[in-house]
PDB file of all heavy atoms in Angstrom:
ATOM      1  N   PHE J 273     181.813 -23.999-149.691  1.00 98.00           N
ATOM      2  CA  PHE J 273     182.107 -25.126-150.585  1.00 98.00           C
ATOM      3  C   PHE J 273     181.927 -24.694-152.059  1.00 98.00           C
ATOM      4  O   PHE J 273     181.264 -23.679-152.355  1.00 98.00           O
ATOM      5  CB  PHE J 273     181.302 -26.367-150.264  1.00 98.00           C
ATOM      6  CG  PHE J 273     179.852 -26.245-150.598  1.00 98.00           C
ATOM      7  CD1 PHE J 273     179.345 -26.692-151.786  1.00 98.00           C
ATOM      8  CD2 PHE J 273     179.006 -25.672-149.707  1.00 98.00           C
ATOM      9  CE1 PHE J 273     177.997 -26.591-152.112  1.00 98.00           C
ATOM     10  CE2 PHE J 273     177.663 -25.541-149.996  1.00 98.00           C
ATOM     11  CZ  PHE J 273     177.038 -25.947-151.222  1.00 98.00           C
ATOM     12  N   ARG J 274     182.522 -25.426-152.947  1.00 98.00           N
ATOM     13  CA  ARG J 274     182.379 -25.205-154.348  1.00 98.00           C
ATOM     14  C   ARG J 274     181.352 -26.189-154.870  1.00 98.00           C
ATOM     15  O   ARG J 274     181.456 -27.432-154.681  1.00 98.00           O
ATOM     16  CB  ARG J 274     183.697 -25.425-155.105  1.00 98.00           C
ATOM     17  CG  ARG J 274     184.771 -24.336-154.884  1.00 98.00           C
ATOM     18  CD  ARG J 274     184.515 -23.137-155.766  1.00 98.00           C
ATOM     19  NE  ARG J 274     185.462 -22.077-155.437  1.00 98.00           N
ATOM     20  CZ  ARG J 274     185.353 -20.814-155.990  1.00 98.00           C
ATOM     21  NH1 ARG J 274     184.315 -20.562-156.795  1.00 98.00           N
ATOM     22  NH2 ARG J 274     186.261 -19.916-155.690  1.00 98.00           N
ATOM     23  N   SER J 275     180.357 -25.638-155.619  1.00 98.00           N
ATOM     24  CA  SER J 275     179.384 -26.477-156.272  1.00 98.00           C
ATOM     25  C   SER J 275     180.016 -27.277-157.365  1.00 98.00           C
ATOM     26  O   SER J 275     181.134 -26.967-157.805  1.00 98.00           O
ATOM     27  CB  SER J 275     178.242 -25.657-156.789  1.00 98.00           C
ATOM     28  OG  SER J 275     178.653 -24.769-157.850  1.00 98.00           O
ATOM     29  N   LEU J 276     179.363 -28.285-157.871  1.00 98.00           N
ATOM     30  CA  LEU J 276     179.953 -29.132-158.913  1.00 98.00           C
ATOM     31  C   LEU J 276     180.145 -28.376-160.200  1.00 98.00           C
ATOM     32  O   LEU J 276     180.977 -28.813-161.053  1.00 98.00           O
ATOM     33  CB  LEU J 276     179.064 -30.361-159.141  1.00 98.00           C
ATOM     34  CG  LEU J 276     178.979 -31.320-157.946  1.00 98.00           C
ATOM     35  CD1 LEU J 276     177.967 -32.431-158.211  1.00 98.00           C
ATOM     36  CD2 LEU J 276     180.293 -31.920-157.576  1.00 98.00           C
ATOM     37  N   ASP J 277     179.468 -27.228-160.383  1.00 97.00           N
ATOM     38  CA  ASP J 277     179.706 -26.403-161.541  1.00 97.00           C
ATOM     39  C   ASP J 277     180.619 -25.191-161.240  1.00 97.00           C
ATOM     40  O   ASP J 277     180.652 -24.272-162.004  1.00 97.00           O
ATOM     41  CB  ASP J 277     178.432 -25.958-162.204  1.00 97.00           C
ATOM     42  CG  ASP J 277     177.503 -25.192-161.277  1.00 97.00           C
ATOM     43  OD1 ASP J 277     177.935 -24.956-160.131  1.00 97.00           O
ATOM     44  OD2 ASP J 277     176.325 -24.855-161.610  1.00 97.00           O
ATOM     45  N   GLY J 278     181.251 -25.199-160.054  1.00 97.00           N
ATOM     46  CA  GLY J 278     182.312 -24.234-159.777  1.00 97.00           C
ATOM     47  C   GLY J 278     181.945 -22.985-158.993  1.00 97.00           C
ATOM     48  O   GLY J 278     182.727 -22.123-158.763  1.00 97.00           O
ATOM     49  N   ARG J 279     180.679 -22.870-158.650  1.00 97.00           N
ATOM     50  CA  ARG J 279     180.251 -21.644-157.866  1.00 97.00           C
ATOM     51  C   ARG J 279     180.626 -21.808-156.374  1.00 97.00           C
ATOM     52  O   ARG J 279     180.572 -22.892-155.766  1.00 97.00           O
ATOM     53  CB  ARG J 279     178.702 -21.536-157.948  1.00 97.00           C
ATOM     54  CG  ARG J 279     178.248 -21.086-159.266  1.00 97.00           C
ATOM     55  CD  ARG J 279     176.686 -21.188-159.359  1.00 97.00           C
ATOM     56  NE  ARG J 279     176.297 -22.570-159.241  1.00 97.00           N
ATOM     57  CZ  ARG J 279     174.999 -22.933-159.104  1.00 97.00           C
ATOM     58  NH1 ARG J 279     174.055 -22.012-159.015  1.00 97.00           N
ATOM     59  NH2 ARG J 279     174.711 -24.206-158.986  1.00 97.00           N
ATOM     60  N   LEU J 280     181.077 -20.637-155.814  1.00 98.00           N
ATOM     61  CA  LEU J 280     181.335 -20.606-154.434  1.00 98.00           C
ATOM     62  C   LEU J 280     180.031 -20.427-153.645  1.00 98.00           C
ATOM     63  O   LEU J 280     179.202 -19.478-153.952  1.00 98.00           O
ATOM     64  CB  LEU J 280     182.256 -19.442-154.058  1.00 98.00           C
ATOM     65  CG  LEU J 280     182.758 -19.271-152.581  1.00 98.00           C
ATOM     66  CD1 LEU J 280     183.498 -20.572-152.181  1.00 98.00           C
ATOM     67  CD2 LEU J 280     183.593 -18.047-152.423  1.00 98.00           C
ATOM     68  N   MET J 281     179.814 -21.364-152.703  1.00 98.00           N
ATOM     69  CA  MET J 281     178.532 -21.428-151.954  1.00 98.00           C
ATOM     70  C   MET J 281     178.778 -21.433-150.495  1.00 98.00           C
ATOM     71  O   MET J 281     179.833 -21.758-149.981  1.00 98.00           O
ATOM     72  CB  MET J 281     177.808 -22.750-152.301  1.00 98.00           C
ATOM     73  CG  MET J 281     177.583 -22.957-153.793  1.00 98.00           C
ATOM     74  SD  MET J 281     176.325 -21.946-154.500  1.00 98.00           S
ATOM     75  CE  MET J 281     174.817 -22.711-153.718  1.00 98.00           C
ATOM     76  N   MET J 282     177.775 -20.972-149.705  1.00 98.00           N
ATOM     77  CA  MET J 282     177.829 -20.999-148.280  1.00 98.00           C
ATOM     78  C   MET J 282     176.519 -21.606-147.765  1.00 98.00           C
ATOM     79  O   MET J 282     175.440 -21.435-148.348  1.00 98.00           O
ATOM     80  CB  MET J 282     177.873 -19.549-147.702  1.00 98.00           C
ATOM     81  CG  MET J 282     178.005 -19.539-146.142  1.00 98.00           C
ATOM     82  SD  MET J 282     178.014 -17.775-145.489  1.00 98.00           S
ATOM     83  CE  MET J 282     179.569 -17.211-146.150  1.00 98.00           C
ATOM     84  N   THR J 283     176.669 -22.414-146.671  1.00 98.00           N
ATOM     85  CA  THR J 283     175.491 -22.958-146.025  1.00 98.00           C
ATOM     86  C   THR J 283     175.573 -22.650-144.535  1.00 98.00           C
ATOM     87  O   THR J 283     176.694 -22.619-144.005  1.00 98.00           O
ATOM     88  CB  THR J 283     175.301 -24.454-146.266  1.00 98.00           C
ATOM     89  OG1 THR J 283     174.009 -24.912-145.633  1.00 98.00           O
ATOM     90  CG2 THR J 283     176.429 -25.270-145.702  1.00 98.00           C
ATOM     91  N   PHE J 284     174.490 -22.387-143.900  1.00 98.00           N
ATOM     92  CA  PHE J 284     174.365 -22.290-142.455  1.00 98.00           C
ATOM     93  C   PHE J 284     172.893 -22.507-142.029  1.00 98.00           C
ATOM     94  O   PHE J 284     172.021 -22.578-142.916  1.00 98.00           O
ATOM     95  CB  PHE J 284     174.871 -20.895-141.965  1.00 98.00           C
ATOM     96  CG  PHE J 284     174.222 -19.676-142.653  1.00 98.00           C
ATOM     97  CD1 PHE J 284     173.006 -19.204-142.245  1.00 98.00           C
ATOM     98  CD2 PHE J 284     174.991 -19.053-143.642  1.00 98.00           C
ATOM     99  CE1 PHE J 284     172.434 -18.109-142.883  1.00 98.00           C
ATOM    100  CE2 PHE J 284     174.440 -17.932-144.251  1.00 98.00           C
ATOM    101  CZ  PHE J 284     173.219 -17.446-143.866  1.00 98.00           C
ATOM    102  N   HIS J 285     172.675 -22.668-140.771  1.00 98.00           N
ATOM    103  CA  HIS J 285     171.290 -22.861-140.336  1.00 98.00           C
ATOM    104  C   HIS J 285     170.587 -21.502-140.054  1.00 98.00           C
ATOM    105  O   HIS J 285     171.246 -20.594-139.557  1.00 98.00           O
ATOM    106  CB  HIS J 285     171.166 -23.834-139.173  1.00 98.00           C
ATOM    107  CG  HIS J 285     171.650 -23.405-137.859  1.00 98.00           C
ATOM    108  ND1 HIS J 285     172.862 -23.733-137.313  1.00 98.00           N
ATOM    109  CD2 HIS J 285     171.078 -22.542-136.972  1.00 98.00           C
ATOM    110  CE1 HIS J 285     173.026 -23.190-136.167  1.00 98.00           C
ATOM    111  NE2 HIS J 285     171.961 -22.393-135.864  1.00 98.00           N
ATOM    112  N   GLN J 286     169.330 -21.455-140.276  1.00 97.00           N
ATOM    113  CA  GLN J 286     168.566 -20.291-140.019  1.00 97.00           C
ATOM    114  C   GLN J 286     167.082 -20.555-139.954  1.00 97.00           C
ATOM    115  O   GLN J 286     166.602 -21.394-140.823  1.00 97.00           O
ATOM    116  CB  GLN J 286     168.869 -19.199-141.100  1.00 97.00           C
ATOM    117  CG  GLN J 286     168.455 -17.774-140.812  1.00 97.00           C
ATOM    118  CD  GLN J 286     167.145 -17.348-141.482  1.00 97.00           C
ATOM    119  OE1 GLN J 286     166.654 -18.047-142.378  1.00 97.00           O
ATOM    120  NE2 GLN J 286     166.586 -16.228-141.042  1.00 97.00           N
ATOM    121  N   PRO J 287     166.257 -20.178-138.942  1.00 97.00           N
ATOM    122  CA  PRO J 287     166.705 -19.378-137.833  1.00 97.00           C
ATOM    123  C   PRO J 287     167.488 -20.166-136.787  1.00 97.00           C
ATOM    124  O   PRO J 287     167.711 -21.364-137.019  1.00 97.00           O
ATOM    125  CB  PRO J 287     165.344 -18.846-137.257  1.00 97.00           C
ATOM    126  CG  PRO J 287     164.423 -19.966-137.615  1.00 97.00           C
ATOM    127  CD  PRO J 287     164.884 -20.493-138.888  1.00 97.00           C
ATOM    128  N   ASN J 288     167.776 -19.540-135.624  1.00 95.00           N
ATOM    129  CA  ASN J 288     168.573 -20.140-134.600  1.00 95.00           C
ATOM    130  C   ASN J 288     167.708 -20.611-133.452  1.00 95.00           C
ATOM    131  O   ASN J 288     168.066 -20.549-132.316  1.00 95.00           O
ATOM    132  CB  ASN J 288     169.656 -19.227-134.152  1.00 95.00           C
ATOM    133  CG  ASN J 288     170.678 -19.892-133.245  1.00 95.00           C
ATOM    134  OD1 ASN J 288     171.199 -20.965-133.608  1.00 95.00           O
ATOM    135  ND2 ASN J 288     171.043 -19.339-132.134  1.00 95.00           N
ATOM    136  N   LYS J 289     166.505 -21.096-133.733  1.00 93.00           N
ATOM    137  CA  LYS J 289     165.605 -21.443-132.689  1.00 93.00           C
ATOM    138  C   LYS J 289     164.935 -22.757-133.110  1.00 93.00           C
ATOM    139  O   LYS J 289     164.323 -22.928-134.123  1.00 93.00           O
ATOM    140  CB  LYS J 289     164.501 -20.361-132.517  1.00 93.00           C
ATOM    141  CG  LYS J 289     163.473 -20.702-131.476  1.00 93.00           C
ATOM    142  CD  LYS J 289     162.447 -19.549-131.323  1.00 93.00           C
ATOM    143  CE  LYS J 289     161.467 -19.854-130.234  1.00 93.00           C
ATOM    144  NZ  LYS J 289     160.488 -18.720-130.132  1.00 93.00           N
ATOM    145  N   GLY J 290     165.047 -23.790-132.122  1.00 89.00           N
ATOM    146  CA  GLY J 290     164.452 -25.083-132.381  1.00 89.00           C
ATOM    147  C   GLY J 290     162.976 -25.061-132.177  1.00 89.00           C
ATOM    148  O   GLY J 290     162.435 -24.273-131.423  1.00 89.00           O
ATOM    149  N   PRO J 291     162.233 -25.837-132.916  1.00 91.00           N
ATOM    150  CA  PRO J 291     162.683 -26.771-133.955  1.00 91.00           C
ATOM    151  C   PRO J 291     162.607 -26.207-135.363  1.00 91.00           C
ATOM    152  O   PRO J 291     162.330 -26.934-136.349  1.00 91.00           O
ATOM    153  CB  PRO J 291     161.714 -27.937-133.765  1.00 91.00           C
ATOM    154  CG  PRO J 291     160.442 -27.266-133.431  1.00 91.00           C
ATOM    155  CD  PRO J 291     160.802 -26.066-132.587  1.00 91.00           C
ATOM    156  N   LEU J 292     162.876 -24.898-135.530  1.00 95.00           N
ATOM    157  CA  LEU J 292     162.675 -24.258-136.833  1.00 95.00           C
ATOM    158  C   LEU J 292     163.928 -24.257-137.713  1.00 95.00           C
ATOM    159  O   LEU J 292     163.822 -23.849-138.856  1.00 95.00           O
ATOM    160  CB  LEU J 292     162.188 -22.816-136.620  1.00 95.00           C
ATOM    161  CG  LEU J 292     160.896 -22.665-135.748  1.00 95.00           C
ATOM    162  CD1 LEU J 292     160.644 -21.136-135.517  1.00 95.00           C
ATOM    163  CD2 LEU J 292     159.758 -23.415-136.404  1.00 95.00           C
ATOM    164  N   GLU J 293     165.074 -24.642-137.177  1.00 96.00           N
ATOM    165  CA  GLU J 293     166.325 -24.475-137.980  1.00 96.00           C
ATOM    166  C   GLU J 293     166.264 -25.345-139.251  1.00 96.00           C
ATOM    167  O   GLU J 293     165.885 -26.494-139.176  1.00 96.00           O
ATOM    168  CB  GLU J 293     167.503 -24.932-137.109  1.00 96.00           C
ATOM    169  CG  GLU J 293     167.586 -24.340-135.733  1.00 96.00           C
ATOM    170  CD  GLU J 293     167.057 -25.252-134.680  1.00 96.00           C
ATOM    171  OE1 GLU J 293     166.022 -25.928-134.896  1.00 96.00           O
ATOM    172  OE2 GLU J 293     167.691 -25.357-133.571  1.00 96.00           O
ATOM    173  N   ARG J 294     166.739 -24.752-140.344  1.00 96.00           N
ATOM    174  CA  ARG J 294     166.869 -25.422-141.595  1.00 96.00           C
ATOM    175  C   ARG J 294     168.190 -25.008-142.239  1.00 96.00           C
ATOM    176  O   ARG J 294     168.681 -23.886-142.100  1.00 96.00           O
ATOM    177  CB  ARG J 294     165.699 -25.051-142.535  1.00 96.00           C
ATOM    178  CG  ARG J 294     164.330 -25.492-142.031  1.00 96.00           C
ATOM    179  CD  ARG J 294     164.171 -27.050-141.946  1.00 96.00           C
ATOM    180  NE  ARG J 294     162.865 -27.432-141.604  1.00 96.00           N
ATOM    181  CZ  ARG J 294     162.369 -27.587-140.417  1.00 96.00           C
ATOM    182  NH1 ARG J 294     163.191 -27.306-139.370  1.00 96.00           N
ATOM    183  NH2 ARG J 294     161.172 -28.000-140.151  1.00 96.00           N
ATOM    184  N   PRO J 295     168.838 -25.921-143.030  1.00 97.00           N
ATOM    185  CA  PRO J 295     170.021 -25.554-143.783  1.00 97.00           C
ATOM    186  C   PRO J 295     169.622 -24.543-144.833  1.00 97.00           C
ATOM    187  O   PRO J 295     168.640 -24.755-145.552  1.00 97.00           O
ATOM    188  CB  PRO J 295     170.492 -26.836-144.363  1.00 97.00           C
ATOM    189  CG  PRO J 295     169.807 -27.900-143.625  1.00 97.00           C
ATOM    190  CD  PRO J 295     168.447 -27.370-143.166  1.00 97.00           C
ATOM    191  N   LYS J 296     170.395 -23.460-145.011  1.00 97.00           N
ATOM    192  CA  LYS J 296     170.123 -22.488-146.027  1.00 97.00           C
ATOM    193  C   LYS J 296     171.350 -22.431-146.971  1.00 97.00           C
ATOM    194  O   LYS J 296     172.513 -22.591-146.559  1.00 97.00           O
ATOM    195  CB  LYS J 296     169.879 -21.097-145.418  1.00 97.00           C
ATOM    196  CG  LYS J 296     168.765 -21.002-144.409  1.00 97.00           C
ATOM    197  CD  LYS J 296     167.414 -21.277-145.129  1.00 97.00           C
ATOM    198  CE  LYS J 296     166.226 -21.156-144.117  1.00 97.00           C
ATOM    199  NZ  LYS J 296     164.941 -21.436-144.771  1.00 97.00           N
TER     200      LYS J 296
END
Side-chain angles (χ1 to χ4, degrees):
F273 67 96
R274 288 279 177 187
S275 67
L276 296 176
D277 59 4
R279 289 169 297 170
L280 184 60
M281 307 284 289
M282 183 183 295
T283 184
F284 52 81
H285 72 257
Q286 196 258 346
N288 192 47
K289 181 179 181 180
L292 304 178
E293 310 98 318
R294 297 294 185 273
K296 302 295 183 180

